[in-house]
Structures are given as C-alpha cells and as structure tokens.
Amino acid sequence: MGKGIIVGALGVIFGGVIVAALVITLGYAPANADAKPSWLEKTLAKTALHAVINREAPKNPNPEAVNDKNLIEGIEIYSQNCAVCHGASNGQPSNIALGLYQRPPQLAMHGVEDDPAGHTFWKVFHGIRMTGMPSFAHTLSSEQIWKVALFLQNMKSLTPAAEAVWKRVPSQAVKNS
Ligand code: HEC
C-alpha cells in the first residue's frame, strides 16, 4: 500500500516533468517580451527579490553627503546610464522603456525616495535577474553607485543647483521630444 502511493507520486512528478519539457521544447512556453507579466510570475519574482535584498543589501546609511557636488555627480551618472529606461524629469517613457518586459518604473513619477539607500545600491550593483535592469558591478564604482542612489533618495528635495541640472537631462521619450 505504502509502496503504491510512492510509485504513484513518482509517476505524477515524472509525468509533470515530461509535460513541462514538451511544452517548452515544442515552443508553447511564452518567451516574448510584448506581453504583461502574469500575476504568478510577478509575485514569485518580487518575493525572491525582497528576500535576497533583505539578506544581502548593505544596512548602513548612504556614505555620500547631501551636497551640490555629490547630487550633480549622481544626476550625471543617472543621465548617462539610467535615463534611457527610467526617464528624465518629465517622467515620460522612451521607446526602449515601453518595449521592456518588466516595465522599468519612470522614476520621476514613481520614485524610490522611500527605499533604504542600501536597497537601491544592491539593485544597481547586482541588477535584477530576468528583467532589463542591468548590473553595474563592473561598470560603475561603489562610490558612483552610492551617488546615484543619493540622487534618487533626494530627487524630490534637490538643492537649487542640482534641480537645475536635473531639469536639463534630456528626455528620450519619442512622443514628447
Ligand atoms: C535597460 C533598461 C534599464 C537601465 C539602463 C536601468 N534600469 Fe533600473 N530597472 C529596469 C527595469 C526593467 C526594472 C524593473 C525590474 C522589476 O520589475 O523588478 C528596474 C528597476 C530598478 C529599480 C527598482 C525600482 C523599484 O520600484 O523598486 C531601481 C532603483 C533602478 N532600476 C535603478 C536604476 C539605476 C540607478 C540605473 C542606472 C545606473 C538603472 N536602473 C538602469 C531597467 C533598467
């Protein structure tokens, strides 16, 4: 009796693996980006991301001081590396942003001022797997990542000099240019 249950359970698991393999190899599993991520996919991805970030993200506050120089450097790094996906101060998405599967938030509209700096640091350093969010671990220094995080934390309360630089970052939205 016990044996029968085990054999039955193994049969169901094995059958499931075969069906999944067939669905994937015959081209029935979605691999396109022109669709909306499903609820299940979003929930699984978000839960995994939050758990890793809670475990790994630096807990210290941003080591870079809030001043014109650091904010402006952060804005310049953002303009060169992030604005194409996350938008400029008008919050309008570029064609690239509109075509990504996992839409990048337009940070001037849906900001991350409330996120701990360490969380933003982790996301920019490591990137977010299976989304368009790249890892900048090999292209930006830690100091540059903290500065771009500083800008994002203070985006809604910039110094006048930094605000002027932010307003000049060109939007790459096709409709609004
Ligand atoms: C090629 C497009 C692309 C570029 C370039 C890019 N990102 Fe992202 N980013 C994304 C996408 C897509 C997501 C959403 C991932 C998700 O849904 O989990 C994201 C998510 C984020 C988040 C999390 C937002 C939230 O609401 O939790 C932050 C913060 C972020 N990016 C910052 C940056 C910074 C800073 C840069 C530049 C140094 C950058 N990104 C460059 C595509 C991009």
Side-chain angles (χ1 to χ4, degrees):
M1 166 72 184
K3 244 190 193 166
I5 292 177
I6 292 174
V7 171
L10 285 179
V12 170
I13 293 172
F14 192 59
V17 171
I18 301 250
V19 170
L22 281 176
V23 166
I24 293 168
T25 51
L26 294 178
Y28 288 101
N32 58 314
D34 55 341
K36 275 213 166 113
S38 71
W39 174 84
L40 181 67
E41 208 176 322
K42 267 197 192 155
T43 309
L44 288 177
K46 286 226 148 71
T47 308
L49 181 65
H50 287 160
V52 174
I53 286 181
N54 280 335
R55 203 162 54 79
E56 288 188 1
K59 307 273 186 284
N60 55 294
N62 199 319
E64 299 295 328
V66 182
N67 57 37
D68 282 350
K69 183 176 168 288
N70 287 341
L71 288 171
I72 290 171
E73 264 184 69
I75 294 168
E76 281 161 359
I77 296 161
Y78 180 91
S79 168
Q80 287 159 1
N81 297 279
C82 324
V84 64
C85 288
H86 291 294
S89 58
N90 67 0
Q92 298 302 314
S94 66
N95 282 354
I96 293 172
L98 288 170
L100 279 170
Y101 183 82
Q102 298 306 346
R103 287 272 175 89
Q106 298 304 296
L107 295 177
M109 303 256 259
H110 312 285
V112 287
E113 298 89 18
D114 297 341
D115 285 10
H119 287 200
T120 302
F121 182 93
W122 190 98
K123 289 174 190 168
V124 178
F125 187 91
H126 292 290
I128 303 176
R129 197 175 284 207
M130 312 266 251
T131 77
M133 176 62 199
S135 158
F136 291 89
H138 302 293
T139 47
L140 293 177
S141 67
S142 291
E143 194 185 314
Q144 287 176 310
I145 298 179
W146 282 120
K147 283 182 181 162
V148 81
L150 187 78
F151 158 58
L152 294 180
Q153 273 178 290
N154 293 285
M155 191 190 258
K156 295 281 184 288
S157 52
L158 292 172
T159 59
E163 180 75 16
V165 176
W166 174 220
K167 286 275 145 46
R168 282 202 301 272
V169 170
S171 169
Q172 298 180 46
V174 173
K175 275 187 234 150
N176 293 277
S177 57

